[in-house]
Amino acid sequence: MQRRNLVVAIDGPSGSGKSTVARGTAVALGLRYLDTGAMYRSVTWLALERGVGLADGAALTALAEAAELSITPDPAAPRIAIDGTDVTDQVRTRKVTAAVSAVSAVPGVRLVMVARQRDLIGAGGIVVEGRDIGTTVAPDAPVKVYLTADPATRARRRASQDGQGAEAVAGTEAELIRRDQADSSRAASPLTQAPDAVVVDTSSLSADEVIAVIVGQVAEVVS
Ligand code: DC
């Protein structure tokens, strides 16, 4: 296996440290980076913008099919645009975060997104983060990692990522648990661990320590 064909799949719930670790791994290895959560978030942003009902699966699927996504897979400065609007920052708003589970649970939306993700992965040379990368999007990825962390740690990370103070942590924890529940129990591609994924509990590890574990996994498969 050559590094230029490598696919590193990083899955896990929100607040497990996925984004920091996936970007850092891509930088460390000189690979491209794909944040599949940002793809679901951008479709969600467009649905809110256009007033498409979050319970209207057919309309959401049609929206996803017609939308033109443009992704810059640079781990140092990833960007995403939908139908010509750069939404890199807008997709992180609370409004989008609150609505994205509903949109990402629609089977038709997932079919469209998974096909685009496979196109973007192409011949490889990429670190891909999400919820179903090792199970559905790239089940043949030679390196699969599933990150976990205890709920309190995840809530703390998420609140600080969103620029909120300590008083927001309890609310964030409740919201995280609710979203995990929705992501894990949906019928289409739920958040699950691939049986062959290496599980890393990041609760008491720094991002650099987790990256070192993944780089070690990569060294075992790359010649
Ligand atoms: O990782 P994130 O918080 O940006 O993900 C946003 C939402 O998209 C989250 O509710 C789970 C969903 N998602 C998914 O269903 N499948 C993926 N591959 C990535 C994200």
Side-chain angles (χ1 to χ4, degrees):
M1 163 68 53
Q2 306 270 299
R3 189 182 289 190
R4 67 170 187 280
N5 301 124
L6 181 68
V7 177
V8 179
I10 303 184
D11 290 302
S14 58
S16 57
K18 261 188 336 240
S19 292
T20 311
V21 164
R23 284 176 65 175
T25 302
V27 169
L29 296 171
L31 299 175
R32 295 181 296 137
Y33 162 72
L34 178 62
D35 174 3
T36 60
M39 296 173 70
Y40 290 101
R41 285 171 178 272
S42 67
V43 172
T44 304
W45 176 86
L46 194 63
L48 295 171
E49 192 73 6
R50 304 239 173 115
V52 175
L54 296 178
D56 190 342
L60 290 168
T61 302
L63 186 79
E65 266 166 2
E68 197 202 318
L69 278 177
S70 161
I71 288 169
T72 309
D74 174 1
R79 301 215 70 86
I80 185 160
I82 189 159
D83 281 355
T85 304
D86 187 312
V87 292
T88 308
D89 298 325
Q90 284 101 309
V91 297
R92 300 286 148 204
T93 58
R94 290 183 116 178
K95 208 170 139 195
V96 171
T97 299
V100 66
S101 281
V103 175
S104 63
V106 176
V109 171
R110 299 201 70 83
L111 273 179
V112 174
M113 290 297 115
V114 168
R116 296 203 185 165
Q117 288 155 14
R118 289 183 180 147
D119 280 349
L120 288 158
I121 292 169
I126 194 163
V127 177
V128 188
E129 70 155 282
R131 302 291 196 287
D132 60 343
I133 310 307
T135 50
T136 302
V137 177
D140 296 332
V143 176
K144 295 183 189 179
V145 181
Y146 188 90
L147 301 183
T148 60
D150 58 63
T153 304
R154 291 167 45 214
R156 217 172 333 104
R157 286 178 182 157
R158 200 76 208 203
S160 88
Q161 214 173 50
D162 296 348
Q164 297 168 325
E167 70 288 349
V169 172
T172 304
E173 187 171 342
E175 165 66 17
L176 271 180
I177 291 169
R178 192 193 61 73
R179 199 142 62 91
D180 283 358
Q181 184 64 33
D183 293 342
S184 309
S185 59
R186 67 172 177 237
S189 273
L191 168 66
T192 39
Q193 239 168 265
D196 51 349
V198 173
V199 181
V200 183
D201 184 335
T202 68
S203 304
S204 56
L205 297 176
S206 69
D208 283 346
E209 287 170 321
V210 182
I211 292 166
V213 171
I214 301 173
V215 169
Q217 294 292 316
V218 168
E220 285 181 23
V221 300
V222 166
S223 52

